[in-house]
């Protein structure tokens, strides 16, 4: 019966402590374990990118497994195979000897097989009178058996990640199509709005995607594209509502302008005339509050927390333990930042009532990011609150602008 032991490689191949550790881990594995060899091979194929293996390495591993005579890897039946390079080359679809040596070394380095070298470096076996192998020198398949559970978990994780990637790409394709067609319809049918700026944001989002993006880059682009789509629908919804069909078209243009945080003028609170005037600049009548009560604006939709933290990374420093893991942490951090910026409790409370506590915390995080440009944080938040009550404010453009600024800064520092 083949017994496990730590062995050094033949010839000029060096020995390392990592190789000793790997062989010890294999030797300490369960000697009663067994696994179907082709199941392990399928898991290795699924997880090959995690190990940095090429397709030819899989072909060599497949060839090695064909030299193992049993369907299950069983340590009681010996796990060392000893084919020659010529035999391996034939079963590995005729690869050259130099490529074969390179791929065998890659399998050993990945910890999927190990070498059991003979005194002269040849591969052979000693058999007893019954023809059973007593001692073999070649390639040991024990690491595949010892790591079978790990390989299966990695294969499942890779498959799940591939599914997430495929679905994220599908969602981005649909969202991209929605934005493109909604934007074209708005321009062709003469809807009011700063569609040139929306077009620039759309192109910028796609421009930040590399030729072969990973899952994180796809998710980031999807968040930004969904935010842009929500803003387009928000603008169009305001124009398509029956009560707004006969309103002043300048209102929708002002919605885009007021939501554009790239403008320095917007960083100061609105004037008294703008705050107290109606749509035409005239003082409000006594019936105006009643009309606003009847046409109460819909609450601002909450945005994904991950998107908020990418747009406003500074707020994380004020979360519990210096990080933000959920919306409760963000709201706690907003209270700390509110006090630091000099925003009164009453102003923050009104913002929470008008926007909702989550969106009020997002607004404070945005103000923190642009604090160098804002003269009075308290006055600015009160102005956002009033505009939110009138249905003239959206957090979307603020977050989009900050995402764009942070992305440009990251490219400059890269």
């Amino acid at each position: 019966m083949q017994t496990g032991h730590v062995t050094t490689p033949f010839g000029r191949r060096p020995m390392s402590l990592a190789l000793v550790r790997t062989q010890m881990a294999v030797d300490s594995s369960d000697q009663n374990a067994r696994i179907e060899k082709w199941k392990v091979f399928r898991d290795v194929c699924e997880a090959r990118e995690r190990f940095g293996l090429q397709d030819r390495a899989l072909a060599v591993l497949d060839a090695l497994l064909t030299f193992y005579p049993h369907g299950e890897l069983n340590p009681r039946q010996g796990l060392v195979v000893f084919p020659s390079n010529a035999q391996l080359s034939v079963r590995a679809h005729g690869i050259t000897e130099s490529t074969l040596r390179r791929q065998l070394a890659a399998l050993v380095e990945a910890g999927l097989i190990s070498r059991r070298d003979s005194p002269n470096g040849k591969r052979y076996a000693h058999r007893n009178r019954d023809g059973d192998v007593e001692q073999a020198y070649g390639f040991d398949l024990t690491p595949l058996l010892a790591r079978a559970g790990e390989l299966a978990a990695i294969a499942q994780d890779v498959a799940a990640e591939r599914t997430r990637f495929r679905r994220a790409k599908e969602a981005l394709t649909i969202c991209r199509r929605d934005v493109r067609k909604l934007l074209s319809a708005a321009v062709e049918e003469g809807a009011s709005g700063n569609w040139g700026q929306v077009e620039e944001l759309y192109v910028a989002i796609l421009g930040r995607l590399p030729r072969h993006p990973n899952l994180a880059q796809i998710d980031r682009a999807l968040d930004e594209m969904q935010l842009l789509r929500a803003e387009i629908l928000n603008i169009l919804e305001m124009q398509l509502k029956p009560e707004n069909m006969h309103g002043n078209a300048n209102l929708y243009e002002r919605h885009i302008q007021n939501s554009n945080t790239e403008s320095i003028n917007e960083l100061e609170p609105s004037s008294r005339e703008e705050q107290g005037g109606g749509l035409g600049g005239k003082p409000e009548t006594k019936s105006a509050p009643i009309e606003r009560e009847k046409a109460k604006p819909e609450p601002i939709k909450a945005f994904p927390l991950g998107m908020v933290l990418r747009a406003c990374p500074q707020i994380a420093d004020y979360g519990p333990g210096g990080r933000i893991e959920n919306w409760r942490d963000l709201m706690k951090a907003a209270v700390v930042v509110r006090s630091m910026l000099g925003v009164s409790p009453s102003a923050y409370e009104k913002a929470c009532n008008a926007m909702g506590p989550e969106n009020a915390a997002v607004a404070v995080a945005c103000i923190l990011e642009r604090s160098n440009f804002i003269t009075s944080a308290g006055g600015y938040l009160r102005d956002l609150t009033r505009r939110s009550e009138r249905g003239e404010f959206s957090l979307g453009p603020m977050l989009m602008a900050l995402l764009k600024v942070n992305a440009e800064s990251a490219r400059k520092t890269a």
Side-chain angles (χ1 to χ4, degrees):
M1 180 181 65
Q2 180 74 29
T3 58
H5 61 281
V6 175
T7 182
T8 57
F10 172 77
R12 289 180 292 180
R13 290 193 298 268
M15 186 64 177
S16 66
L17 295 181
L19 184 59
V20 174
R21 182 167 56 251
T22 300
Q23 293 187 25
M24 286 182 173
V26 168
D27 291 340
S28 62
S29 61
D30 185 6
Q31 294 298 312
N32 295 319
R34 58 181 63 189
I35 190 72
E36 204 272 313
K37 64 180 182 181
W38 297 119
K39 179 183 182 304
V40 178
F41 179 73
R42 288 192 296 270
D43 290 338
V44 173
C45 291
E46 193 75 27
R48 69 181 183 86
E49 292 183 359
R50 298 283 181 91
F51 294 99
L53 296 177
Q54 300 177 356
D55 293 340
R56 291 187 176 183
L58 298 180
V60 173
L61 181 60
D62 175 82
L64 285 172
L65 288 172
T66 63
F67 284 100
Y68 187 75
H70 308 288
E72 290 185 331
L73 297 178
N74 186 350
R76 296 185 179 277
Q77 295 175 330
L79 292 173
V80 177
V81 293
F82 40 92
S84 66
N85 284 352
Q87 292 173 319
L88 270 178
S89 177
V90 170
R91 295 200 187 183
H93 311 295
I95 64 175
T96 63
E97 184 169 343
S98 59
T99 302
L100 177 64
R101 293 179 183 277
R102 197 162 52 246
Q103 301 307 327
L104 285 170
L107 291 171
V108 172
E109 185 177 354
L112 299 177
I113 62 173
S114 61
R115 298 180 186 271
R116 299 294 185 192
D117 286 346
S118 66
N120 62 2
K122 302 293 183 179
R123 299 172 203 149
Y124 58 87
H126 295 296
R127 300 179 183 270
N128 58 22
R129 292 183 177 181
D130 296 329
D132 297 329
V133 175
E134 291 184 334
Q135 181 71 35
Y137 299 103
F139 295 105
D140 193 348
L141 304 178
T142 304
L144 288 175
L145 176 62
R147 303 180 64 181
E150 177 192 353
L151 293 171
I154 295 175
Q156 292 177 4
D157 184 56
V158 169
E161 184 176 351
R162 187 180 296 115
T163 300
R164 290 194 300 270
F165 182 79
R166 183 174 63 253
R167 292 179 179 175
K169 283 191 68 175
E170 291 173 353
L172 178 60
T173 299
I174 293 173
C175 190
R176 175 180 176 178
R177 180 186 66 200
D178 291 346
V179 171
R180 180 69 271 170
K181 292 195 173 184
L182 287 170
L183 184 58
S184 298
V187 173
E188 291 172 2
E189 299 184 25
S192 299
N194 192 347
W195 303 117
Q197 181 188 7
V198 176
E199 175 78 20
E200 290 178 1
L201 291 173
Y202 172 77
V203 173
I205 293 172
L206 298 180
R208 288 193 288 272
L209 273 177
R211 185 176 181 85
H212 300 289
N214 56 33
L215 179 60
Q217 292 167 331
I218 290 288
D219 284 339
R220 187 179 302 111
L222 178 59
D223 286 344
E224 296 176 2
M225 195 67 72
Q226 287 175 336
L227 179 58
L228 188 59
R229 179 178 61 183
E231 282 305 306
I232 295 174
L233 291 174
N234 185 34
I235 298 167
L236 295 177
E237 182 182 11
M238 293 176 64
Q239 301 185 52
L240 297 176
K241 281 184 177 179
E243 61 270 21
N244 291 333
M245 291 299 290
H246 303 291
N248 190 344
N250 290 331
L251 168 64
Y252 313 114
E253 184 70 22
R254 189 175 66 191
H255 173 81
I256 289 287
Q257 293 172 349
N258 286 347
S259 298
N260 180 15
T261 56
E262 291 294 278
S263 172
I264 299 299
N265 296 331
E266 203 262 354
L267 296 174
E268 294 295 335
S270 301
S271 65
R272 183 182 303 273
E273 179 180 354
E274 181 184 350
Q275 295 168 7
L279 297 181
K282 298 179 181 180
E284 294 179 349
T285 63
K286 293 182 179 179
S287 61
I290 299 177
E291 292 175 358
R292 285 205 311 272
E293 185 66 28
K294 290 180 180 179
K296 186 176 181 180
E298 296 180 0
I300 302 174
K301 297 178 182 179
F303 297 97
L305 180 60
M307 180 196 302
V308 173
L309 295 178
R310 286 199 301 272
C312 310
Q314 295 184 41
I315 192 71
D317 296 336
Y318 301 92
R323 63 181 183 274
I324 292 176
E325 298 178 348
N326 49 52
W327 281 103
R328 184 179 297 276
D329 290 347
L330 179 64
M331 290 186 284
K332 289 180 179 179
V335 173
V336 176
V337 172
R338 185 272 306 166
S339 176
M340 182 187 72
L341 295 176
V343 178
S344 65
S346 61
Y348 186 63
E349 182 179 358
K350 289 181 180 178
C352 290
N353 293 334
M355 307 178 191
E358 292 86 358
N359 289 313
V362 174
V364 170
C366 292
I367 293 173
L368 175 64
E369 288 294 319
R370 305 301 298 271
S371 58
N372 293 337
F373 303 97
I374 298 176
T375 304
S376 172
Y380 185 57
L381 183 62
R382 283 190 290 271
D383 181 56
L384 297 183
T385 302
R386 284 190 290 268
R387 284 159 49 190
S388 179
E389 291 172 342
R390 296 197 298 265
E392 300 174 3
F393 170 69
S394 173
L395 282 168
M398 295 181 68
L399 292 172
M400 286 295 296
L402 290 172
L403 282 169
K404 181 179 178 182
V405 170
N406 291 337
E408 291 176 353
S409 300
R411 284 201 300 271
K412 291 179 180 178
T413 57

